[in-house]
Amino acid sequence: MSGENAIRLLLADDHPVVRAGLRAVLDTEPDFRVAGEAATAEEAVALAAAGGFDVVLMDLQFGPGPGMHGSEATAAITAAPDGPRVLILTTYDSDADILAAVEAGASGYLLKDAPPQELAGAVRTAAAGRSALAPSVAHRLMDRMRTPAEALTRRELEVLQWVGEGLSNLQISKKLFLSQATVKSHLVHIYAKLGVDSRTSAVAAATARRLIRR
């Protein structure tokens, strides 16, 4: 396919080896052209805003520190009227990560161990404006839809993720711009849905069910 009609890709991942591996795989597809790379989420947002890309392959976690998360970058990119599609490519498949990405506007969610043909198909699907979800991710979303009363909300998952990081109610309230009373209310609902009675048990149960990131 000519360069003019090729699907132009931006690879956003903080690991050079991962970007090189992705480039090697994607360059074998005649209708793809890797047109740029970004080592940080902030760089991905800036490059996407400058134009010239059809699909961004976005990691979720960009190294340690307070930098922008992949879901935040996804929201910034998809907010633009003519922005490229974003396909999440990550090692994480927790409900918290999946929901954050979907709500941020991601066109697809794929795990890094996906076979090359599945990755190529997901890129083409995303470029066409359709949803491209890994089978395991689609299954988790379907499970949430089947039992909505038992499913933790996006906010409850956020609170629980921070509990798992060891933060107090006060610290969580500051992180999420909530009152401490609201954080406590979320925890009450979390305990009821998970059938537990403590922070430790809630984190253990949620981790076992892959609701939050390990």
Side-chain angles (χ1 to χ4, degrees):
M1 180 176 290
S2 69
E4 293 180 1
N5 296 320
I7 298 172
R8 298 159 299 175
L9 307 176
L10 170 61
L11 310 182
D13 194 292
D14 60 333
H15 295 291
V17 172
V18 172
R19 296 199 306 273
L22 283 173
R23 180 183 281 272
V25 169
L26 296 167
D27 276 345
T28 64
E29 301 293 333
D31 54 336
F32 292 171
R33 181 166 67 86
V34 178
E37 296 185 15
T40 67
E42 291 84 355
E43 186 181 359
V45 172
L47 287 171
F53 302 100
D54 300 304
V55 178
V56 181
L57 275 70
M58 178 73 71
D59 194 13
L60 283 182
Q61 193 68 44
F62 286 81
M68 183 181 279
H69 189 268
S71 291
E72 295 174 296
T74 298
I77 291 170
T78 58
D82 299 315
R85 308 286 180 177
V86 178
L87 175 63
I88 301 297
L89 188 61
T90 182
T91 56
Y92 304 113
D93 65 345
S94 74
D95 282 22
D97 287 310
I98 294 167
L99 286 184
V102 170
E103 290 187 13
S107 294
Y109 198 109
L110 211 61
L111 301 180
K112 286 183 176 177
D113 60 0
Q117 63 270 25
E118 187 176 330
L119 173 60
V123 169
R124 294 186 183 99
T125 299
R130 301 192 303 274
S131 176
L133 298 174
S136 62
V137 171
H139 181 71
R140 294 189 70 77
L141 290 176
M142 288 296 292
D143 280 348
R144 288 182 60 85
M145 294 174 65
R146 291 190 189 101
T147 57
E150 300 172 19
L152 298 188
T153 66
R154 164 80 191 285
R155 183 62 88 184
E156 288 166 354
L157 288 167
E158 284 182 317
V159 168
L160 192 51
Q161 186 75 60
W162 286 119
V163 169
E165 298 287 339
L167 271 64
S168 67
N169 286 4
L170 176 59
Q171 291 171 315
I172 295 170
S173 71
K174 291 179 178 178
K175 280 277 188 184
L176 300 179
F177 303 102
L178 302 172
S179 69
Q180 288 191 68
T182 300
V183 173
K184 289 179 182 177
S185 177
H186 283 313
L187 285 171
V188 169
H189 294 145
I190 290 167
Y191 292 174
K193 289 179 179 179
L194 296 181
V196 299
D197 58 6
S198 72
R199 298 165 78 90
T200 302
S201 297
V203 170
T207 300
R209 299 182 198 179
R210 298 212 312 276
L211 301 179
I212 60 174
R213 189 183 298 182
R214 292 179 177 82

